[in-house]
Amino acid sequence: MNNNLPKWLERQYAVLLESFGSREFRFPEAAKVLEESSQIPENQAKVVLAELRKSGVIKVRKDPTDARKRIYRLVSPQKRIQQALFPEIAGPHKTTLTRGELEALLKRAADLIRTRVDYHYILVLLFYKRICDKWKAEFEQARQEALQDGFSPKEAEIEARQAAYHDFDIPEEFLWDNLRKDLEHLPENLSHAFKAMAERNPELRVIFENVDFLQFTQSYENSEILRQLFELFSSYSLKQTSPDILGDAYEWILRYFAPQKAKEGEILTPREVIRLMVEMLEPKPGESV
């Protein structure tokens, strides 16, 4: 499947998707929509459908009432994203992430946004995925402990939601997996989620108040980039990923997108400088620099 459609073809895919969504349609219906929305004549509508079929983003079957005709169905954006970004991923999500795997994940994210998007969007999404995964792990541990203490299953779930068991206060409706259930409204839901996070977790305000996904997704292209980033990060669990590896992720992103600033130490202290400082100070066991 070729998910990198030419812009003109991507626009027509979007037009058809808006009209038909996941339901089936026939050529006369598609031709009418394309003519009304894009002023594409009937003979060119055939070209559009043929190109979409060739690219693998439209499925075709014979019309059971007339073998000479065809019935069409668009491949959903979610399916396109999954097949394009991680075709090799099958089965349960990975529960741990090595440095090499994380770098490969970040490279995919970088390939998506290139220089079109501020790299801070990758950082904040990665951070949010991490704390959501950690909340779920904390919830499950607290639930199991409550069950062992004699709580009923319902009581154990209520107990496990208490703030005392969690590092951060995340409304359940804004947990990553719940946001993923409604990708169509992802920008709005992320904005609501980040506003709630800033209000409930003052220490995170500086992170979440400076990211505006509604502004970011005003263009169709950026809206697709956001959905692709979200699906990409959804393929991994970060609940057991160590802070050191996440720190490496931060450094990798900065070196990739802002190499000059990283080299000059404007946004991170280069490792070479860190090693030199340690050698000069010669800290003893138990001391910190």
Side-chain angles (χ1 to χ4, degrees), residues 22-39:
S22 61
R23 70 179 179 87
E24 293 183 324
F25 57 92
R26 291 171 171 78
F27 175 75
E29 298 174 281
K32 181 179 179 181
V33 167
L34 292 173
E35 183 177 12
E36 292 177 350
S37 299
S38 305
Q39 291 75 53

Side-chain angles (χ1 to χ4, degrees), residues 78 177-189:
Q78 293 91 335
D177 290 344
N178 291 332
L179 292 176
R180 193 184 180 202
K181 294 175 183 177
D182 186 12
L183 291 179
E184 183 178 351
H185 299 100
L186 182 59
E188 298 93 326
N189 292 337

Side-chain angles (χ1 to χ4, degrees), residues 213-231:
F213 281 104
L214 287 176
Q215 177 70 25
F216 169 61
T217 55
Q218 285 186 346
S219 72
Y220 174 78
E221 183 179 28
N222 281 359
S223 181
E224 283 301 301
I225 289 173
L226 173 60
R227 286 200 290 184
Q228 290 178 32
L229 285 173
F230 207 84
E231 284 293 293

Side-chain angles (χ1 to χ4, degrees), residues 126-142 160 165-168 170 175-176 237-243 246:
L126 188 67
F127 176 73
Y128 193 59
K129 179 66 164 65
R130 158 67 173 171
I131 63 176
C132 284
D133 287 352
K134 194 167 187 295
W135 191 98
K136 288 172 56 182
E138 293 163 346
F139 173 86
E140 184 56 29
Q141 181 178 346
Y165 298 105
H166 302 283
D167 288 343
F168 299 108
I170 307 176
L175 288 172
W176 187 278
S237 170
L238 302 180
K239 65 182 180 182
Q240 296 180 6
T241 303
S242 74
L246 290 177

Side-chain angles (χ1 to χ4, degrees), residues 107-281:
K107 182 62 169 64
R108 284 183 172 183
D111 287 342
L112 281 176
I113 72 171
R114 295 295 181 180
T115 58
R116 295 173 294 178
V117 179
D118 191 326
Y119 61 84
H120 288 94
Y121 287 103
I122 291 182
L123 288 173
V124 74
L125 283 176
L126 188 67
F127 176 73
Y128 193 59
K129 179 66 164 65
R130 158 67 173 171
I131 63 176
C132 284
D133 287 352
K134 194 167 187 295
W135 191 98
K136 288 172 56 182
E138 293 163 346
F139 173 86
E140 184 56 29
Q141 181 178 346
R143 189 182 72 86
Q144 291 294 336
E145 291 175 354
L147 289 172
Q148 293 173 7
D149 290 340
F151 284 70
S152 70
K154 185 175 181 179
E155 291 171 337
E157 290 193 2
I158 294 174
E159 177 68 14
R161 291 186 176 93
Q162 299 301 311
Y165 298 105
H166 302 283
D167 288 343
F168 299 108
D169 185 0
I170 307 176
E172 281 194 75
E173 65 266 30
F174 295 140
L175 288 172
W176 187 278
D177 290 344
N178 291 332
L179 292 176
R180 193 184 180 202
K181 294 175 183 177
D182 186 12
L183 291 179
E184 183 178 351
H185 299 100
L186 182 59
E188 298 93 326
N189 292 337
L190 272 175
S191 293
H192 294 320
F194 286 7
K195 181 179 179 181
M197 288 297 297
E199 291 174 351
R200 295 185 179 213
N201 306 272
E203 69 274 28
L204 301 180
R205 188 169 295 159
V206 67
I207 296 175
F208 292 115
E209 283 189 340
N210 296 320
V211 179
D212 187 350
F213 281 104
L214 287 176
Q215 177 70 25
F216 169 61
T217 55
Q218 285 186 346
S219 72
Y220 174 78
E221 183 179 28
N222 281 359
S223 181
E224 283 301 301
I225 289 173
L226 173 60
R227 286 200 290 184
Q228 290 178 32
L229 285 173
F230 207 84
E231 284 293 293
L232 179 59
F233 290 155
S234 294
S235 62
Y236 291 91
S237 170
L238 302 180
K239 65 182 180 182
Q240 296 180 6
T241 303
S242 74
D244 287 342
I245 291 181
L246 290 177
D248 289 344
Y250 175 73
E251 182 175 337
W252 188 94
I253 289 173
L254 294 180
R255 289 186 182 277
Y256 186 91
F257 286 99
Q260 189 59 36
K261 290 182 179 180
K263 184 177 180 181
E264 294 172 354
E266 181 177 338
I267 48 182
L268 64 84
T269 304
R271 288 178 179 256
E272 297 81 3
V273 175
I274 294 175
R275 283 195 291 268
L276 178 60
M277 292 172 63
V278 171
E279 290 175 4
M280 292 175 63
L281 295 173

